[in-house]
Amino acid sequence: MRLPPSSFHFPRNFIWGVSAAAPQIEGASFVDGKGESVWDRFARRRGAILNGDRLDPACDHYHRYEQDFALMRDLGIRHYRLSLAWPRIFPEGDGKLNQRGLDFYQRLTDSMLEHGITPWVTMFHWDLPQALEDRGGWRSRVVPEAFATYADTIVRALGDRVKNWITVNEIRCFTVQAYGGVGKAPGFKEGRRVVNQTVHNALLCHGHGVRAVREHGGRGARCGLSDNCETVIPVTETPADVAAAHEWFAEANQSILSPIYNGGYSDEYLEKCGASRPRFERGDFSLISLPTDFLGLNIYAGLFVRRGADGRAQLLFPSASYPRTDSAWLHLAPRALYWAPRLVSKVYGVKNVYVTENGCGYDDDVVKNGECLDLHRVEYLRSYLKELQRSIADGTPVRGYFVWCFLDNFEWTDGYTRRFGIVHNNFKTQRRTPKLSALWYRAVIAANQIL
Ligand code: BGP
């Protein structure tokens, strides 16, 4: 019997891109007037980062961006998600502008455009100016106040060439994890009330980012958040488990997505917080819930859920032998790329979803005879993309996909050990070698289809 041909096509105009972030690739931590970030400081703390690695030299992208954009172009990559380093532009977080920092991003975005690459700019990817941390950091409204000026400044300066803006990246990571003792800079262990407050202050920054784009972004400017929402996968795709996934997803994401999409914290969330609820002011939620154009999702893994015997959503955790990447937190769960976009569009009515990060980290990506044969990454990306394609075919409004990461880079507390790139970087020589996954991705982009 002949089977119909399998079709792994993506919609016309689907955006294929790669992602990276300033503190992870630029290096040049103290060049041309850049101020210290909380990650620069945290990396000096003994034992904080594997092997005592620092954010310098990373990929020295600060000095090598032209060569990197030429490589992107050769790989057929037309969309690049980058971030701007706040402390390059305002070394103290607010106050005096460092023109050299801003000039750098003007040169950088010009060069991207010359190479035929469209910038997707994240305003903040975790590198808070240390000076702001010294004044209270995310615990305090000092940060959103400073962020308002920072966002106005960058959108005014780059708005003529940047049309796609992402406000902040993964609120949970630089608030709940960073202040909740989970090993992210600045690395504190605060109580629940303080942690909830850091989330609220981050939401205010998101709101200011949207406001700045509307006020100064010019024609065609679009913006949204990149969120690492809590992701669940129904164990079986039956009505009972799918409904359980819905319920769990809606409850788990209320601290970040409800204020943005529903104009405030839910009563349920505030009750759950009790005395630890965040303090807010009148007017906060009209800023936080300003309409956005899209939602970015960073999806790597997902937990499993089913309808439990007691009728409630029951979470199931992968066992020790469940297959994982070299990052313990990153178990293989391709169906996360089906369910996260679908659930977010159903629960919050999101009309345009972009997967702004997806990828995997391994420690044994080596270059041999000029090649890096990262079969594990090809298979990872392929299996996840199939699920994304299935989600789109079932009607989920996903418009684009960005691989994390273009280059092996400074992977936060894993330093330079954990390699997430589709391009290998030799950190001693700064030599770039496209891995098998990059060559495969080039073919996928060209065909607009999984191959
Ligand atoms: C996301 C971040 C990225 C990237 C990736 C890999 O959370 O937005 O910056 O680093 O995860 O994660 P990690 O380096 O923590 O393993």
XYZ file of all heavy atoms in Angstrom, residues 307-399:
743
model
N -5.048 13.500 34.154
C -6.198 13.654 35.058
C -6.036 12.608 36.159
O -6.031 11.401 35.876
C -7.485 13.432 34.260
C -8.725 13.399 35.065
C -9.127 14.747 35.665
N -9.630 15.690 34.688
C -9.450 17.017 34.740
N -8.731 17.559 35.713
N -9.944 17.812 33.827
N -5.802 13.046 37.366
C -5.550 12.118 38.468
C -6.812 11.394 38.921
O -7.928 11.781 38.554
N -6.616 10.360 39.726
C -7.751 9.559 40.204
C -8.710 10.422 41.023
O -9.917 10.172 41.067
C -7.228 8.397 41.044
N -8.194 11.457 41.688
C -9.063 12.335 42.491
C -9.737 13.414 41.632
O -10.358 14.328 42.152
C -8.236 12.996 43.601
C -7.091 13.850 43.049
O -6.918 13.880 41.796
O -6.375 14.492 43.842
N -9.535 13.324 40.302
C -10.188 14.281 39.404
C -9.368 15.531 39.161
O -9.722 16.380 38.353
N -8.261 15.658 39.885
C -7.447 16.878 39.710
C -6.293 16.632 38.759
O -5.946 15.490 38.465
C -6.919 17.329 41.075
C -8.079 17.653 41.988
C -7.680 18.033 43.354
N -6.568 18.970 43.399
C -6.120 19.471 44.532
N -6.669 19.128 45.666
N -5.112 20.305 44.526
N -5.700 17.748 38.274
C -4.542 17.622 37.386
C -3.376 17.079 38.203
O -3.044 17.604 39.257
C -4.187 18.982 36.802
N -2.760 16.016 37.708
C -1.664 15.395 38.451
C -0.384 15.494 37.633
O -0.327 15.063 36.481
C -1.997 13.923 38.717
C -0.939 13.208 39.509
C -1.115 11.696 39.468
O -1.881 11.168 38.648
N -0.399 11.008 40.332
N 0.638 16.051 38.252
C 1.914 16.244 37.566
C 2.774 14.998 37.691
O 2.879 14.432 38.772
C 2.615 17.420 38.246
C 3.489 18.346 37.410
C 2.793 18.799 36.152
C 3.904 19.540 38.253
N 3.411 14.598 36.600
C 4.308 13.434 36.643
C 5.714 13.899 36.260
O 5.880 14.662 35.308
C 3.852 12.364 35.658
C 2.426 11.837 35.822
C 2.145 10.757 34.783
C 2.218 11.267 37.221
N 6.704 13.437 37.000
C 8.077 13.897 36.774
C 8.916 12.809 36.110
O 8.788 11.630 36.463
C 8.730 14.297 38.103
C 8.028 15.447 38.747
C 6.985 15.243 39.635
C 8.390 16.749 38.431
C 6.309 16.315 40.207
C 7.733 17.825 39.003
C 6.685 17.606 39.895
N 9.790 13.206 35.159
C 10.644 12.208 34.511
C 11.559 11.513 35.525
O 12.092 12.160 36.430
C 11.487 13.027 33.534
C 10.888 14.374 33.477
C 10.047 14.573 34.684
N 11.725 10.219 35.362
C 12.559 9.466 36.303
C 14.038 9.662 35.968
O 14.383 10.299 34.973
C 12.232 7.985 36.181
O 12.636 7.541 34.896
N 14.901 9.072 36.775
C 16.345 9.277 36.609
C 16.830 8.782 35.248
O 17.769 9.337 34.674
C 17.093 8.563 37.725
N 16.214 7.739 34.712
C 16.681 7.186 33.439
C 16.015 7.817 32.218
O 16.325 7.450 31.090
C 16.416 5.684 33.389
O 17.107 5.063 34.425
N 15.112 8.722 32.450
C 14.460 9.392 31.318
C 15.552 10.127 30.526
O 16.416 10.759 31.116
C 13.419 10.370 31.869
C 12.560 11.017 30.811
C 11.257 10.595 30.582
C 13.056 12.058 30.031
C 10.474 11.186 29.607
C 12.278 12.648 29.049
C 10.985 12.208 28.845
O 10.215 12.798 27.869
N 15.544 10.068 29.177
C 16.638 10.688 28.414
C 16.728 12.202 28.569
O 15.720 12.900 28.549
C 16.317 10.315 26.959
C 14.934 9.783 26.948
C 14.590 9.349 28.334
N 17.959 12.613 28.748
C 18.233 14.037 28.977
C 19.366 14.508 28.075
O 20.159 13.702 27.603
C 18.694 14.260 30.420
C 17.606 14.220 31.409
C 18.125 14.425 32.831
N 17.009 14.649 33.721
C 16.169 13.698 34.125
N 16.344 12.446 33.763
N 15.150 13.996 34.908
N 19.490 15.819 27.940
C 20.694 16.414 27.352
C 21.752 16.440 28.461
O 21.529 15.893 29.543
C 20.398 17.851 26.898
O 20.040 18.608 28.059
C 19.239 17.891 25.902
N 22.851 17.139 28.238
C 23.851 17.226 29.304
C 23.442 18.207 30.411
O 24.107 18.277 31.440
C 25.229 17.592 28.729
C 25.889 16.368 28.089
O 25.471 15.233 28.405
O 26.814 16.545 27.268
N 22.403 18.975 30.189
C 21.879 19.814 31.269
C 20.838 18.986 32.007
O 19.862 18.519 31.397
C 21.188 21.063 30.712
O 22.081 21.816 29.936
N 21.030 18.821 33.315
C 20.133 17.952 34.073
C 18.676 18.416 33.949
O 17.751 17.607 33.937
C 20.561 17.930 35.529
N 18.474 19.724 33.841
C 17.099 20.247 33.787
C 16.456 20.024 32.426
O 15.259 20.185 32.278
C 17.074 21.745 34.134
C 17.876 22.605 33.173
C 19.198 22.925 33.275
C 17.421 23.227 31.964
N 19.595 23.705 32.215
C 18.513 23.909 31.392
C 16.183 23.285 31.292
C 18.437 24.634 30.197
C 16.099 23.998 30.106
C 17.208 24.665 29.571
N 17.279 19.648 31.439
C 16.729 19.600 30.084
C 16.521 18.162 29.610
O 17.375 17.582 28.935
C 17.649 20.377 29.128
C 16.971 21.065 27.943
C 17.968 21.886 27.139
C 16.158 20.186 27.070
N 15.381 17.589 29.995
C 15.033 16.260 29.502
C 14.330 16.415 28.147
O 13.795 17.481 27.823
C 14.153 15.525 30.513
C 12.897 16.255 30.840
N 12.796 17.167 31.856
C 11.674 16.233 30.253
C 11.586 17.661 31.892
N 10.875 17.112 30.925
N 14.350 15.366 27.365
C 13.807 15.455 26.013
C 12.289 15.368 26.051
O 11.730 14.372 26.522
C 14.388 14.343 25.145
C 15.927 14.355 25.052
C 16.409 13.230 24.141
C 16.447 15.687 24.562
N 11.654 16.389 25.553
C 10.192 16.437 25.575
C 9.707 17.220 24.352
O 9.212 18.345 24.481
C 9.709 17.085 26.865
N 9.859 16.635 23.169
C 9.514 17.373 21.942
C 8.082 17.890 21.935
O 7.808 18.951 21.379
C 9.702 16.331 20.827
C 10.444 15.194 21.421
C 10.367 15.289 22.897
N 7.182 17.143 22.590
C 5.784 17.577 22.551
C 5.549 18.903 23.276
O 4.483 19.516 23.140
C 4.861 16.480 23.086
C 4.712 15.337 22.094
C 3.519 14.462 22.413
N 3.638 13.798 23.701
C 2.631 13.697 24.575
N 1.456 14.213 24.318
N 2.817 13.051 25.708
N 6.555 19.368 24.026
C 6.441 20.698 24.638
C 6.236 21.760 23.554
O 5.561 22.769 23.776
C 7.691 21.019 25.444
N 6.807 21.508 22.392
C 6.696 22.485 21.313
C 5.330 22.405 20.615
O 4.968 23.289 19.854
C 7.837 22.292 20.299
C 8.556 23.559 19.840
C 8.821 24.550 20.933
C 9.833 23.225 19.105
N 4.621 21.358 20.845
C 3.218 21.313 20.401
C 2.340 22.034 21.428
O 1.530 22.884 21.082
C 2.746 19.857 20.251
C 1.301 19.739 19.798
C 0.988 19.600 18.453
C 0.253 19.796 20.725
C -0.336 19.512 18.028
C -1.077 19.715 20.309
C -1.367 19.570 18.960
O -2.673 19.498 18.552
N 2.566 21.687 22.709
C 1.584 22.083 23.723
C 1.764 23.487 24.269
O 0.777 24.172 24.531
C 1.531 21.037 24.843
C 0.780 19.834 24.355
C 1.307 18.652 23.927
C -0.641 19.738 24.144
N 0.312 17.816 23.478
C -0.901 18.455 23.598
C -1.718 20.608 24.353
C -2.192 18.034 23.264
C -3.005 20.174 24.028
C -3.225 18.910 23.491
N 2.985 23.936 24.458
C 3.133 25.275 25.060
C 2.491 26.353 24.177
O 1.667 27.142 24.665
C 4.591 25.578 25.349
N 2.814 26.404 22.877
C 2.152 27.422 22.055
C 0.635 27.244 22.002
O -0.126 28.211 22.043
C 2.755 27.201 20.658
C 4.035 26.475 20.886
C 3.817 25.643 22.111
N 0.210 26.000 21.973
C -1.235 25.751 21.881
C -1.956 26.205 23.153
O -2.968 26.894 23.101
C -1.474 24.259 21.638
C -2.917 23.930 21.363
C -3.092 22.452 21.047
N -4.497 22.115 20.926
C -5.177 22.185 19.785
N -4.567 22.563 18.678
N -6.456 21.876 19.744
N -1.394 25.830 24.302
C -2.055 26.185 25.563
C -2.064 27.696 25.771
O -3.047 28.273 26.219
C -1.379 25.472 26.737
C -1.608 23.951 26.789
C -0.713 23.302 27.842
C -3.081 23.635 27.086
N -0.948 28.346 25.402
C -0.892 29.794 25.635
C -1.889 30.506 24.722
O -2.499 31.512 25.107
C 0.564 30.315 25.488
C 0.895 30.781 24.091
C 0.845 31.392 26.496
N -2.082 29.972 23.535
C -3.039 30.642 22.652
C -4.480 30.365 23.108
O -5.344 31.216 22.996
C -2.815 30.249 21.193
O -3.206 28.916 20.987
N -4.718 29.194 23.677
C -6.086 28.881 24.155
C -6.391 29.624 25.460
O -7.446 30.206 25.620
C -6.233 27.373 24.431
C -6.062 26.517 23.206
C -7.391 26.213 22.540
C -7.194 25.279 21.366
N -7.945 25.628 20.178
N -5.442 29.568 26.407
C -5.727 30.117 27.735
C -5.705 31.645 27.730
O -6.521 32.292 28.377
C -4.739 29.546 28.784
C -4.907 30.213 30.136
C -4.928 28.030 28.916
N -4.747 32.240 27.000
C -4.610 33.702 27.037
C -5.022 34.383 25.738
O -4.866 35.598 25.606
C -3.176 34.081 27.422
C -2.897 33.727 28.864
C -2.168 32.591 29.198
C -3.405 34.503 29.898
C -1.939 32.246 30.525
C -3.187 34.171 31.221
C -2.448 33.036 31.529
O -2.234 32.708 32.835
N -5.487 33.634 24.772
C -5.946 34.242 23.515
C -4.819 34.876 22.701
O -5.052 35.825 21.950
N -3.587 34.383 22.864
C -2.463 34.968 22.128
C -2.620 34.662 20.638
O -2.822 33.516 20.250
C -1.116 34.402 22.648
C 0.044 35.007 21.868
C -0.963 34.678 24.133
N -2.489 35.715 19.815
C -2.747 35.548 18.381
C -1.475 35.247 17.582
O -1.532 34.674 16.495
C -3.346 36.834 17.803
C -4.695 37.199 18.389
C -5.809 36.472 17.632
C -7.185 36.897 18.078
N -7.416 36.863 19.523
N -0.350 35.726 18.076
C 0.902 35.512 17.355
C 1.958 35.005 18.322
O 2.382 35.738 19.220
C 1.415 36.823 16.742
C 0.475 37.359 15.693
O 0.206 36.695 14.685
N -0.059 38.542 15.933
N 2.357 33.763 18.133
C 3.383 33.181 19.002
C 4.660 33.018 18.191
O 4.620 32.609 17.028
C 2.934 31.787 19.522
C 4.020 31.148 20.377
C 1.628 31.880 20.302
N 5.780 33.367 18.795
C 7.092 33.039 18.224
C 7.816 32.182 19.236
O 7.803 32.508 20.431
C 7.922 34.310 17.968
C 7.376 35.157 16.853
C 6.369 36.089 17.100
C 7.833 35.014 15.545
C 5.833 36.854 16.078
C 7.303 35.773 14.510
C 6.302 36.691 14.790
O 5.781 37.438 13.769
N 8.433 31.118 18.785
C 9.315 30.374 19.678
C 10.642 31.140 19.620
O 11.349 31.093 18.614
C 9.480 28.916 19.221
C 10.496 28.195 20.107
C 8.131 28.212 19.260
N 10.934 31.888 20.684
C 12.120 32.748 20.636
C 13.378 32.025 21.128
O 14.472 32.559 21.003
C 11.888 34.055 21.426
O 11.155 33.770 22.625
C 11.097 35.045 20.601
N 13.214 30.834 21.707
C 14.369 29.981 22.024
C 13.928 28.530 22.038
O 12.855 28.202 22.569
C 14.963 30.280 23.417
C 15.731 31.561 23.505
C 16.343 31.790 24.884
O 16.571 30.810 25.637
O 16.582 32.956 25.224
N 14.779 27.685 21.494
C 14.643 26.232 21.634
C 15.985 25.647 21.230
O 16.575 26.077 20.242
C 13.518 25.696 20.719
C 13.458 24.181 20.667
O 13.629 23.564 19.618
N 13.217 23.559 21.804
N 16.473 24.700 21.994
C 17.770 24.126 21.661
C 18.230 23.196 22.765
O 17.470 22.865 23.677
N 19.489 22.758 22.673
C 19.992 21.790 23.644
C 21.495 21.968 23.842
O 22.204 22.356 22.926
C 19.699 20.376 23.152
S 20.267 20.081 21.478
N 21.949 21.643 25.055
C 23.353 21.800 25.383
C 24.040 20.463 25.609
O 23.496 19.584 26.288
N 25.227 20.315 25.008
C 26.027 19.104 25.189
C 27.482 19.510 25.436
O 27.914 20.583 25.010
C 25.919 18.213 23.944
C 24.546 17.586 23.799
C 23.610 18.129 22.924
C 24.178 16.488 24.573
C 22.340 17.572 22.807
C 22.905 15.929 24.455
C 21.996 16.467 23.572
O 20.752 15.926 23.470
N 28.211 18.644 26.107
C 29.595 18.981 26.465
C 30.612 18.376 25.509
O 31.809 18.623 25.644
C 29.916 18.484 27.884
C 29.003 19.139 28.916
O 28.276 20.087 28.550
O 29.014 18.698 30.080
N 30.169 17.532 24.580
C 31.148 16.817 23.756
C 31.069 17.186 22.277
O 31.330 16.364 21.404
C 30.979 15.304 23.934
C 29.626 14.813 23.435
O 28.742 15.672 23.182
O 29.451 13.599 23.283
N 30.713 18.407 21.993
C 30.730 18.863 20.602
C 32.171 19.224 20.236
O 32.668 20.265 20.662
C 29.860 20.113 20.437
C 28.381 19.805 20.491
O 28.014 18.618 20.493
O 27.584 20.761 20.536
N 32.833 18.343 19.488
C 34.232 18.629 19.147
C 34.394 18.750 17.632
O 33.635 18.162 16.867
C 35.198 17.523 19.646
C 35.361 17.593 21.147
C 34.705 16.151 19.222
N 35.414 19.497 17.243
C 35.712 19.643 15.816
C 36.813 18.651 15.461
O 37.860 18.622 16.095
C 36.175 21.091 15.497
C 36.526 21.220 14.018
C 35.092 22.086 15.885
N 36.505 17.816 14.477
C 37.462 16.812 14.011
C 37.494 16.888 12.499
O 36.418 16.847 11.875
C 36.961 15.422 14.419
C 37.842 14.723 15.431
C 37.448 13.266 15.450
C 38.018 12.511 16.604
N 37.154 11.388 16.939
N 38.670 16.983 11.947
C 38.803 17.142 10.489
C 37.885 18.236 9.950
O 37.234 18.081 8.915
C 38.489 15.835 9.746
C 39.336 14.688 10.252
O 40.521 14.887 10.571
N 38.751 13.506 10.369
N 37.808 19.313 10.700
C 37.034 20.463 10.234
C 35.523 20.324 10.386
O 34.765 21.195 9.948
N 35.075 19.231 11.022
C 33.627 19.041 11.157
C 33.235 18.866 12.616
O 33.998 18.329 13.404
C 33.202 17.752 10.438
C 33.263 17.825 8.936
C 32.540 16.619 8.341
O 33.000 15.482 8.556
O 31.505 16.828 7.705
N 32.021 19.248 12.925
C 31.473 18.946 14.249
C 30.142 18.227 14.023
O 29.157 18.836 13.599
C 31.273 20.233 15.059
S 30.562 19.917 16.685
N 30.160 16.940 14.271
C 29.013 16.102 13.894
C 28.050 15.936 15.068
O 27.998 14.890 15.712
C 29.532 14.752 13.376
C 30.448 14.884 12.146
C 31.029 13.538 11.750
C 29.708 15.510 10.972
N 27.311 16.967 15.343
C 26.408 16.962 16.506
C 25.057 16.314 16.162
O 24.014 16.971 16.153
C 26.208 18.392 17.028
C 25.615 19.318 15.977
O 25.761 19.031 14.765
O 24.992 20.333 16.347
N 25.130 15.028 15.934
C 23.906 14.290 15.586
C 22.818 14.451 16.637
O 21.629 14.532 16.318
C 24.237 12.795 15.455
C 24.944 12.388 14.168
C 25.463 10.961 14.284
C 23.998 12.538 12.985
N 23.237 14.484 17.911
C 22.245 14.619 18.985
C 21.426 15.900 18.818
O 20.232 15.931 19.072
C 22.884 14.546 20.379
C 24.229 15.218 20.510
N 24.672 16.219 19.676
C 25.232 15.018 21.398
C 25.883 16.603 20.052
N 26.248 15.890 21.085
N 22.094 16.977 18.373
C 21.353 18.236 18.213
C 20.438 18.185 16.986
O 19.317 18.686 17.020
C 22.329 19.412 18.123
C 21.636 20.769 18.064
C 22.565 21.936 18.324
N 23.061 21.925 19.690
C 24.254 21.442 20.056
N 25.081 20.948 19.147
N 24.618 21.433 21.322
N 20.908 17.583 15.907
C 20.051 17.464 14.717
C 18.772 16.714 15.091
O 17.660 17.151 14.777
C 20.782 16.735 13.565
C 19.834 16.498 12.389
C 22.003 17.523 13.114
N 18.933 15.613 15.788
C 17.758 14.809 16.152
C 16.852 15.552 17.143
O 15.633 15.455 17.080
C 18.180 13.454 16.725
C 18.738 12.515 15.677
C 17.776 12.302 14.493
O 16.630 11.896 14.705
O 18.197 12.565 13.351
N 17.478 16.264 18.066
C 16.688 17.069 19.024
C 15.839 18.077 18.253
O 14.613 18.140 18.404
C 17.639 17.791 19.997
C 16.956 18.768 20.942
C 16.668 18.419 22.256
C 16.594 20.047 20.510
C 16.046 19.312 23.123
C 15.954 20.945 21.365
C 15.697 20.571 22.669
O 15.066 21.461 23.518
N 16.496 18.882 17.414
C 15.775 19.960 16.722
C 14.691 19.387 15.818
O 13.580 19.898 15.731
C 16.757 20.821 15.912
C 17.787 21.592 16.748
C 18.791 22.300 15.832
C 17.111 22.623 17.663
N 15.043 18.309 15.147
C 14.113 17.682 14.217
C 12.850 17.195 14.948
O 11.726 17.428 14.505
C 14.840 16.496 13.580
C 14.251 16.043 12.313
C 15.230 15.072 11.629
N 14.714 14.776 10.319
C 13.757 13.897 10.097
N 13.269 13.203 11.093
N 13.302 13.709 8.883
N 13.067 16.536 16.074
C 11.901 15.991 16.780
C 11.041 17.119 17.357
O 9.808 17.028 17.350
C 12.341 15.020 17.878
O 13.130 15.694 18.825
N 11.664 18.174 17.833
C 10.881 19.287 18.381
C 10.144 20.028 17.259
O 8.982 20.404 17.408
C 11.792 20.258 19.144
C 12.051 19.869 20.590
C 12.767 18.723 20.905
C 11.593 20.656 21.639
C 13.020 18.368 22.228
C 11.830 20.309 22.968
C 12.540 19.174 23.262
O 12.779 18.829 24.565
N 10.844 20.230 16.143
C 10.204 20.976 15.048
C 9.024 20.222 14.449
O 8.053 20.820 13.995
C 11.229 21.317 13.961
C 12.061 22.567 14.261
C 13.187 22.726 13.245
C 11.175 23.826 14.262
N 9.097 18.913 14.461
C 7.958 18.138 13.965
C 6.719 18.433 14.807
O 5.609 18.532 14.305
C 8.262 16.641 14.052
C 9.027 16.122 12.870
C 9.044 14.606 12.953
C 9.834 14.018 11.823
N 9.976 12.565 11.952
N 6.930 18.539 16.099
C 5.805 18.828 16.985
C 5.296 20.253 16.794
O 4.101 20.513 16.900
C 6.203 18.584 18.438
C 6.391 17.111 18.763
C 5.084 16.317 18.674
O 3.995 16.896 18.876
O 5.149 15.106 18.388
N 6.219 21.156 16.499
C 5.786 22.538 16.243
C 4.947 22.572 14.964
O 3.904 23.224 14.905
C 7.011 23.448 16.100
C 6.684 24.939 16.004
C 6.055 25.451 17.295
C 7.939 25.762 15.694
N 5.405 21.837 13.988
C 4.685 21.794 12.709
C 3.291 21.186 12.912
O 2.297 21.679 12.385
C 5.518 20.974 11.713
C 5.106 21.140 10.270
C 4.038 20.140 9.877
O 3.744 19.198 10.610
N 3.450 20.366 8.712
N 3.223 20.162 13.730
C 1.921 19.533 14.011
C 0.994 20.529 14.715
O -0.207 20.590 14.443
C 2.151 18.286 14.889
C 0.901 17.519 15.250
C 1.221 16.163 15.881
N 1.662 16.216 17.268
C 0.874 16.058 18.324
N -0.424 15.839 18.157
N 1.361 16.096 19.547
N 1.578 21.320 15.617
C 0.775 22.304 16.342
C 0.201 23.340 15.373
O -0.989 23.687 15.425
C 1.669 22.983 17.392
O 0.916 23.643 18.361
N 1.054 23.801 14.449
C 0.597 24.791 13.464
C -0.486 24.172 12.577
O -1.518 24.784 12.301
C 1.792 25.295 12.615
C 2.798 26.033 13.506
C 1.310 26.203 11.489
C 4.129 26.349 12.834
N -0.253 22.933 12.175
C -1.243 22.255 11.319
C -2.587 22.121 12.044
O -3.645 22.139 11.428
C -0.715 20.880 10.908
N -2.544 22.042 13.375
C -3.787 21.956 14.147
C -4.346 23.333 14.498
O -5.246 23.446 15.329
C -3.548 21.150 15.438
C -3.465 19.646 15.155
O -3.718 19.248 13.998
O -3.145 18.877 16.089
N -3.748 24.378 13.934
C -4.338 25.704 14.073
C -3.681 26.642 15.067
O -4.170 27.746 15.300
N -2.566 26.238 15.692
C -1.909 27.145 16.646
C -1.184 28.252 15.875
O -0.451 27.962 14.925
C -0.889 26.374 17.511
O -1.538 25.229 18.053
C -0.369 27.235 18.635
N -1.381 29.515 16.283
C -0.825 30.620 15.502
C 0.657 30.895 15.788
O 1.015 31.912 16.374
C -1.690 31.814 15.925
C -2.094 31.492 17.335
C -2.217 30.002 17.418
N 1.519 29.984 15.374
C 2.963 30.176 15.569
C 3.540 30.756 14.278
O 3.339 30.207 13.206
C 3.681 28.845 15.900
C 5.165 29.103 16.176
C 3.034 28.179 17.096
N 4.241 31.873 14.415
C 4.717 32.609 13.235
C 6.209 32.477 12.989
O 6.699 32.904 11.960
C 4.401 34.100 13.378
C 3.008 34.415 13.879
C 1.951 34.023 12.879
N 0.624 34.339 13.402
C -0.488 33.777 12.956
N -0.433 32.861 12.008
N -1.654 34.112 13.458
